[in-house]
Amino acid sequence: MSDVAAGRRARGGGGSARRAERTAVSFETAKFIQRNIPNFEILNEEALQIIEHNAETVLEEIGVNFVENEAALQRWRDAGADVRGERVRIPRGLARELVKTAPKSFTQHARNPERSVEIGGRNLVLAPVYGPPFVHDAKGGRRYATIADFRNFVKLGYMSKWLHHSGGTVCEPTDIPVNKRHLDMLLAHMTLSDKPFMGSVTEPSRAADSVEMAKILFGSDFVDQNTVMTSLININSPMTFDGIMMGALEEYAKANQAAIVSPFIVGGAMAPVTVAGTLTQVLAEVLAGVSYSQLIRKGAPVIAGAFVTSIDMNSGAPTFGTPEASHITYGVGQLVRRLGLPYRSAGGFCGSKLPDAQAAYESANSLNMGLLSGVNFMLHACGWLEGGLVSSYEKFVMDADQLGALHHLAQGVALDENGQGMEAIREVGPGGHYLGCAHTQANFKTAFWRSDLLDYKPYETWAEEGARDTMALAGERVQKMLADYQAPHLDEGIREALEGYVARKKESMPDAFL
Amino acid sequence: MSDVAAGRRARGGGGSARRAERTAVSFETAKFIQRNIPNFEILNEEALQIIEHNAETVLEEIGVNFVENEAALQRWRDAGADVRGERVRIPRGLARELVKTAPKSFTQHARNPERSVEIGGRNLVLAPVYGPPFVHDAKGGRRYATIADFRNFVKLGYMSKWLHHSGGTVCEPTDIPVNKRHLDMLLAHMTLSDKPFMGSVTEPSRAADSVEMAKILFGSDFVDQNTVMTSLININSPMTFDGIMMGALEEYAKANQAAIVSPFIVGGAMAPVTVAGTLTQVLAEVLAGVSYSQLIRKGAPVIAGAFVTSIDMNSGAPTFGTPEASHITYGVGQLVRRLGLPYRSAGGFCGSKLPDAQAAYESANSLNMGLLSGVNFMLHACGWLEGGLVSSYEKFVMDADQLGALHHLAQGVALDENGQGMEAIREVGPGGHYLGCAHTQANFKTAFWRSDLLDYKPYETWAEEGARDTMALAGERVQKMLADYQAPHLDEGIREALEGYVARKKESMPDAFL
């Protein structure tokens, strides 16, 4: 990482840039979570073996489709699969063998080396909501998202202490032509934040643009040798790998950039209505997708994922924070760890239209499950509303505050002499009070997590101050953060080069809104 | 249990009572949770042994105080403890030996035998909020609780499907003299619900009244031979057992009624500011309290508990749903299981003034932790607001709805042939859709938990219907439930006997409001 820093300084162009860097406001970001607690393992060994056996049966007997992608079919033939039409049947054990070349863990570099993240192992990296076409705030209500909203969410993410990653499509900038959006989104992540970010996946050419812009930001050699983007490649469940998504995967894998290979599951619709059936299909899909990435480039970094929701069988609506989604998320975690791959799942999921109690119940259910299920990369950790249709300003800061609790929960229980606290119990004794004792005085600043947003005031004070609910507190926080925002330092030459690339690319093609 | 039913029928007085019973509206109640998932174990064997060793050191070297209770001191002397003044030092291993006579699990009988609960083992029994002097509802705001509120909460608890227990002081009926409240509270639980309930602990004489009224309800012989009440005995942490609470414990233990022996911990005030220190103190207190119950009557049913909250070191306010409280709750669960005792902890805890997002985040954190920590008896599972100062009507039904998710989560993952769902994956195949397949049709009604309260509607429908948040939906639900309430059948002779007991007792003493 010191290479990046040195490289950046070298590009930085001398004393004035260094001075600007020193004087810029720096917003504190916590280090990615390094778990010191066990994972919750809902499946026993026998259950895991049944599901693993069944997944291999699915790959061997039913197979998966690689759609509109002749090169992929040829790669599978060469690897020893049985290919008929677009159907790829993978002999038992082959996919499991192929995924072994994927790294157990990898570094995604940020342009600020202090904010680089290690994805895998016992780590958890938190990234914001991805994909909503709408935004919501308490004053303006729900409306289509714009590039101004997008920039706001990147700013909020940059200033959020417990968020390690700037994410990708934090909302869809619907005021920009579809074929040019990715350029403005990448430019925002690269210039308004110094946290790691995601690349575009909506067309292979946009993935290529992402790599080109990353080379401007990090330097071409650096990008060739290091992973600087982690991008979201959804599988069209059940068992379908479409040409566009695989094209993007191919671009990233070739460039040694990371892909999240992630079945998109609405239980009962895209997967069997039972948990074990869904686990079987997810494992088969992950095996096929990740092994395909290794056919493109052995050792290409991959995250094996699952986006999971259940369905309300009364209305067909997707539901969030439900027990069945938890079962699946815990189970996929165990299966992915047995493959030795980094794991993506969970998030602050909810179906609510407002950042109200429903949103918080459902999101807390999901966030806690995500931590305990051993997730390594959690997309949608903050800001998700209404089943992912909406990026909520208030919920972004509400969830981002709760992410602090996950950090503390993951620390586990200290059992050194200070942790045991026997001298405190001796000092205080029966009927005493710990607030004033030496052990409390020595530890109180770091002993307990406290929310930086929620209300801890006495009732009377809270009532005098306007009896604000959480949404109101969060709305005020959003306004203050956006007012206080200051961009991280970026070398002017790099900024101009990025802006030039975006301008040239935009000029090179007509607008397209589909 | 058939004896109870037979006894109740015998007292029922013939055909008309039986007909009334058959025609009474019955509100469905789920069976207590029988976990089919593992517990989350945050401490390893070495950590557990350190804490167990330290707890014995606390008992042996520091000791505990039994205050204003000469009989208790004599019992400890007789048991082999070192008693000086009110300080009781318990030789290493003695308390652990004494608790062995407490049952691992016991049945608390309800007057409706179908609603009896088994407390211990892998079971989880859910009971409502206990103790608040205030109530809150969306229309009326926050105000002192009355006996009318108390009766309303008993009715809501009776009608809540996922709540197994009617609880105890669901709110403080502040309009009734302090020395007479317990009579009206017991009468409400006994007549307005047929779920199991808790007895009074605020004076030994009130515990005795509880036993007497239970004898009227269940029959004297039945109460002598069975447990029909589970009552809350708080320990004054650190390490102080006051005479009133122990007096109530003595009454219940003598009558073979169950006591929850529960340290009341605000971390950093009543216990060390570190988790391991708190675990040590809690274990020492539980060992002392539970072993004392066995000195009163070997085999008396006990639940070992911990009420745990952390503190906001900025303001001194108690905080809820925090990671440190989770650490402690997980750890106490492990320690209590190693003692072979039923475990009480957790609840729908929050510090919020409103049933808003803060309330829901904090409560969901607590509820999930409670399930995974192996809790057997969860008090405060619904209705808790503002740090326990307030019983909230809306939050009662909001939490009670979420308790359904805990039931489903606890079921674990089915791995029979239907659960594996291989025929569904074969039938649907790549690119297909599961909604219509035979496996989905056969399973969809029970496959996924759905909330009975939260909003799953499309945005447009939700907006047309008034854009209600969760509090508004819950407020409407409360009104409908109270309007729909019908009392469970109770033999008129028993009702008159209970009312007569209450009237006589009230007449026998002047009102006291302190």
Side-chain angles (χ1 to χ4, degrees):
Chain A
M1 282 192 281
S2 59
D3 289 347
V4 186
R8 184 148 44 75
R9 276 200 296 275
R11 293 194 302 274
S16 67
R18 279 198 297 277
R19 275 192 299 280
E21 190 163 8
R22 277 198 301 273
T23 55
V25 170
S26 181
F27 298 98
E28 187 187 355
T29 294
K31 189 169 183 188
F32 53 84
I33 291 175
Q34 299 172 287
R35 286 183 182 80
N36 195 28
I37 58 172
N39 298 313
F40 182 70
E41 310 227 311
I42 200 165
L43 301 173
N44 61 22
E45 178 64 27
E46 186 192 353
L48 290 164
Q49 288 186 11
I50 290 171
I51 292 164
E52 287 173 342
H53 177 86
N54 286 349
E56 294 281 1
T57 303
V58 168
L59 291 176
E60 183 169 62
E61 298 181 11
I62 302 168
V64 299
N65 283 358
F66 276 74
V67 178
E68 295 179 5
N69 193 341
E70 188 48 49
L73 298 173
Q74 189 56 48
R75 288 189 187 97
W76 276 117
R77 271 187 214 102
D78 296 344
D82 170 17
V83 179
R84 296 180 226 173
E86 295 185 326
R87 184 71 59 94
V88 177
R89 290 184 177 80
I90 305 171
R92 190 171 291 273
L94 174 60
R96 189 166 285 267
E97 191 60 32
L98 288 171
V99 304
K100 286 183 181 168
T101 56
K104 280 183 186 306
S105 184
F106 64 90
T107 304
Q108 182 187 350
H109 293 271
R111 71 173 170 96
N112 177 347
E114 290 177 6
R115 296 183 174 177
S116 296
V117 292
E118 185 69 22
I119 300 177
R122 298 189 55 69
N123 303 330
L124 171 55
V125 173
L126 300 166
V129 62
Y130 187 107
F134 297 101
V135 295
H136 183 278
D137 67 76
K139 283 187 183 160
R142 182 190 198 253
R143 54 192 163 74
Y144 275 104
T146 65
I147 189 68
D149 293 308
F150 188 98
R151 291 178 185 133
N152 283 339
F153 280 107
V154 172
K155 291 175 182 176
L156 293 176
Y158 169 62
M159 298 170 81
S160 294
K161 176 177 176 183
W162 307 111
L163 200 65
H164 315 115
H165 203 282
S166 194
T169 309
V170 288
C171 61
E172 279 284 349
T174 60
D175 53 342
I176 309 284
V178 166
N179 60 337
K180 299 178 180 179
R181 280 178 196 171
H182 65 291
L183 299 162
D184 287 309
M185 292 195 278
L186 285 160
L187 187 65
H189 283 299
M190 291 177 176
T191 59
L192 301 177
S193 179
D194 63 2
K195 296 185 181 183
F197 57 88
M198 302 170 77
S200 176
V201 296
T202 50
E203 283 281 355
S205 67
R206 296 171 197 159
D209 281 337
S210 306
V211 174
E212 287 308 308
M213 288 178 71
K215 287 182 175 175
I216 296 170
L217 182 66
F218 287 90
S220 187
D221 289 351
F222 190 85
V223 172
D224 285 343
Q225 290 158 37
N226 295 282
T227 298
V228 300
M229 283 182 290
T230 295
S231 302
L232 179 61
I233 307 293
N234 279 326
I235 299 168
N236 286 356
S237 300
M239 300 175 288
T240 303
F241 296 78
D242 76 46
I244 289 171
M245 277 284 165
M246 288 303 105
L249 172 72
E250 290 157 17
E251 286 293 334
Y252 285 121
K254 279 181 206 161
N256 203 34
Q257 301 305 306
I260 303 167
V261 177
S262 201
F264 182 93
I265 302 280
V266 177
M270 286 88 141
V273 77
T274 54
V275 170
T278 299
L279 289 170
T280 299
Q281 181 182 307
V282 166
L283 179 58
E285 292 172 343
V286 159
L287 280 166
V290 173
S291 58
Y292 182 66
S293 77
Q294 301 302 299
L295 293 181
I296 302 295
R297 176 172 171 159
K298 280 195 200 312
V302 195
I303 304 173
F307 173 90
V308 177
T309 167
S310 51
I311 197 169
D312 170 25
M313 284 297 188
N314 283 16
S315 66
T319 51
F320 297 89
T322 59
E324 293 76 22
S326 293
H327 288 156
I328 295 166
T329 306
Y330 287 127
V332 176
Q334 290 181 263
L335 294 163
V336 165
R337 280 194 290 285
R338 284 158 73 100
L339 292 175
L341 295 171
Y343 177 38
R344 173 260 164 144
S345 198
F349 294 136
C350 65
S352 185
K353 317 296 179 291
L354 293 170
D356 60 358
Q358 174 176 354
Y361 279 122
E362 292 173 341
S363 296
N365 290 347
S366 293
L367 291 171
N368 282 290
M369 163 196 79
L371 178 67
L372 297 186
S373 67
V375 165
N376 299 116
F377 187 83
M378 192 193 289
L379 200 58
H380 311 301
C382 60
W384 169 289
L385 197 69
E386 202 190 317
L389 286 173
V390 172
S391 294
S392 158
Y393 278 91
E394 284 84 5
K395 189 150 178 292
F396 194 100
V397 301
M398 287 158 56
D399 290 336
D401 176 69
Q402 286 289 306
L403 299 179
L406 297 191
H407 281 71
H408 279 246
L409 193 52
Q411 288 172 4
V413 180
L415 273 147
D416 57 358
E417 196 178 319
N418 181 64
Q420 291 181 44
M422 284 295 279
E423 78 280 17
I425 301 177
R426 283 188 203 280
E427 179 184 337
V428 171
H433 211 288
Y434 285 89
L435 277 180
C437 86
H439 182 257
T440 305
Q441 293 299 314
N443 287 281
F444 82 92
K445 281 187 183 164
T446 56
F448 299 131
W449 173 76
R450 79 183 296 279
S451 163
D452 189 42
L453 174 68
L454 302 178
D455 171 74
Y456 293 151
K457 292 175 179 160
Y459 176 83
E460 291 72 15
T461 314
W462 169 82
E464 278 167 20
E465 292 180 358
R468 291 168 295 182
D469 68 4
T470 315
M471 185 161 74
L473 291 172
E476 291 169 20
R477 177 64 55 89
V478 167
Q479 292 311 313
K480 173 160 175 45
M481 287 174 76
L482 293 178
D484 289 350
Y485 171 80
Q486 294 193 39
H489 171 76
L490 179 65
D491 176 82
E492 273 308 312
I494 293 175
R495 180 193 306 277
E496 284 164 17
L498 288 169
E499 288 169 352
Y501 184 91
V502 169
R504 282 195 306 281
K505 272 283 169 174
K506 283 186 164 182
E507 280 167 22
S508 73
M509 48 188 167
D511 291 354
F513 274 94
L514 276 181
Chain B
M1 282 193 282
S2 58
D3 289 347
V4 187
R8 183 149 44 75
R9 274 200 297 275
R11 293 194 301 274
S16 68
R18 280 199 296 278
R19 275 192 301 278
E21 189 165 9
R22 278 197 301 273
T23 55
V25 171
S26 182
F27 297 98
E28 187 187 357
T29 294
K31 190 169 184 189
F32 53 86
I33 292 176
Q34 298 172 286
R35 286 181 181 80
N36 195 28
I37 58 172
N39 298 313
F40 182 70
E41 309 228 313
I42 200 165
L43 301 173
N44 61 22
E45 178 65 27
E46 186 192 354
L48 290 164
Q49 288 185 11
I50 289 172
I51 291 164
E52 287 173 343
H53 177 85
N54 287 349
E56 294 282 0
T57 302
V58 169
L59 291 176
E60 184 168 62
E61 297 181 11
I62 302 168
V64 299
N65 282 358
F66 276 75
V67 177
E68 296 179 3
N69 195 340
E70 188 49 49
L73 299 173
Q74 189 55 48
R75 288 187 187 99
W76 277 117
R77 273 189 212 100
D78 295 344
D82 170 17
V83 180
R84 296 179 228 174
E86 294 187 325
R87 185 71 60 94
V88 178
R89 291 183 176 80
I90 305 171
R92 191 171 290 275
L94 175 59
R96 190 166 284 267
E97 191 60 33
L98 288 171
V99 305
K100 286 182 181 168
T101 56
K104 280 184 187 304
S105 184
F106 64 91
T107 304
Q108 181 187 350
H109 293 271
R111 71 174 171 97
N112 177 348
E114 289 178 6
R115 295 182 176 179
S116 296
V117 292
E118 184 69 22
I119 300 176
R122 298 187 56 70
N123 303 330
L124 171 55
V125 173
L126 300 166
V129 62
Y130 186 106
F134 298 101
V135 295
H136 184 278
D137 67 76
K139 283 188 183 161
R142 183 192 199 249
R143 54 191 163 73
Y144 275 104
T146 65
I147 189 68
D149 292 308
F150 188 98
R151 291 180 185 132
N152 282 339
F153 281 106
V154 172
K155 291 175 183 176
L156 293 176
Y158 169 61
M159 297 170 81
S160 293
K161 177 176 176 183
W162 306 111
L163 199 65
H164 315 116
H165 203 282
S166 193
T169 310
V170 289
C171 61
E172 278 285 348
T174 60
D175 53 342
I176 310 283
V178 166
N179 60 338
K180 299 178 180 178
R181 279 179 197 169
H182 65 292
L183 299 162
D184 287 310
M185 293 196 278
L186 284 160
L187 188 66
H189 283 299
M190 290 177 176
T191 58
L192 301 177
S193 179
D194 63 3
K195 295 185 182 184
F197 57 88
M198 302 170 77
S200 175
V201 296
T202 51
E203 283 282 355
S205 67
R206 296 171 198 159
D209 281 337
S210 306
V211 174
E212 287 307 308
M213 289 178 71
K215 286 181 176 176
I216 296 170
L217 183 67
F218 287 90
S220 186
D221 290 351
F222 190 83
V223 172
D224 285 343
Q225 291 158 35
N226 295 282
T227 298
V228 300
M229 282 182 291
T230 295
S231 302
L232 179 62
I233 307 292
N234 279 327
I235 298 168
N236 286 358
S237 301
M239 300 176 288
T240 302
F241 297 78
D242 75 47
I244 289 171
M245 277 284 166
M246 288 303 106
L249 171 72
E250 290 158 16
E251 286 292 334
Y252 286 120
K254 278 180 205 162
N256 203 34
Q257 300 306 306
I260 303 167
V261 177
S262 200
F264 183 93
I265 302 280
V266 178
M270 286 88 141
V273 77
T274 54
V275 171
T278 298
L279 289 170
T280 299
Q281 181 182 306
V282 166
L283 179 57
E285 292 172 342
V286 159
L287 280 167
V290 173
S291 57
Y292 182 67
S293 76
Q294 301 302 299
L295 293 181
I296 301 295
R297 175 173 171 158
K298 281 194 199 311
V302 195
I303 304 173
F307 173 89
V308 177
T309 167
S310 50
I311 198 168
D312 170 24
M313 285 295 186
N314 282 17
S315 66
T319 50
F320 297 89
T322 59
E324 293 77 22
S326 292
H327 288 155
I328 294 167
T329 306
Y330 288 128
V332 176
Q334 291 181 263
L335 294 163
V336 165
R337 281 193 290 283
R338 283 158 72 100
L339 291 174
L341 295 172
Y343 176 39
R344 173 258 163 144
S345 198
F349 294 136
C350 65
S352 184
K353 316 298 178 292
L354 293 170
D356 59 0
Q358 173 176 355
Y361 278 122
E362 293 174 339
S363 296
N365 291 347
S366 293
L367 291 170
N368 282 290
M369 163 197 78
L371 178 68
L372 297 186
S373 66
V375 165
N376 299 117
F377 187 82
M378 190 192 290
L379 201 55
H380 311 301
C382 61
W384 169 289
L385 197 69
E386 202 189 319
L389 286 173
V390 173
S391 293
S392 158
Y393 279 91
E394 284 85 4
K395 187 150 178 293
F396 194 99
V397 302
M398 287 158 57
D399 289 337
D401 176 68
Q402 286 289 304
L403 299 180
L406 297 192
H407 281 69
H408 279 246
L409 193 51
Q411 288 173 3
V413 179
L415 273 146
D416 57 357
E417 195 178 319
N418 182 64
Q420 291 181 45
M422 285 296 280
E423 78 280 18
I425 302 177
R426 284 187 202 280
E427 180 184 337
V428 170
H433 211 289
Y434 285 88
L435 277 179
C437 85
H439 182 256
T440 304
Q441 292 300 314
N443 288 281
F444 83 93
K445 280 188 184 165
T446 57
F448 299 131
W449 174 77
R450 79 184 296 278
S451 164
D452 188 42
L453 174 68
L454 302 178
D455 171 75
Y456 294 149
K457 293 175 179 162
Y459 176 83
E460 291 73 16
T461 313
W462 169 82
E464 278 167 21
E465 292 181 357
R468 290 167 296 182
D469 68 4
T470 314
M471 185 161 74
L473 291 172
E476 293 170 18
R477 177 64 54 89
V478 167
Q479 291 312 312
K480 173 159 174 46
M481 287 174 77
L482 293 177
D484 289 350
Y485 171 80
Q486 295 193 40
H489 171 76
L490 178 65
D491 176 81
E492 273 308 311
I494 293 176
R495 178 191 307 278
E496 284 163 18
L498 288 168
E499 289 168 351
Y501 185 90
V502 168
R504 281 194 308 281
K505 271 283 168 174
K506 284 187 165 180
E507 280 167 23
S508 73
M509 48 189 167
D511 292 354
F513 274 93
L514 278 178

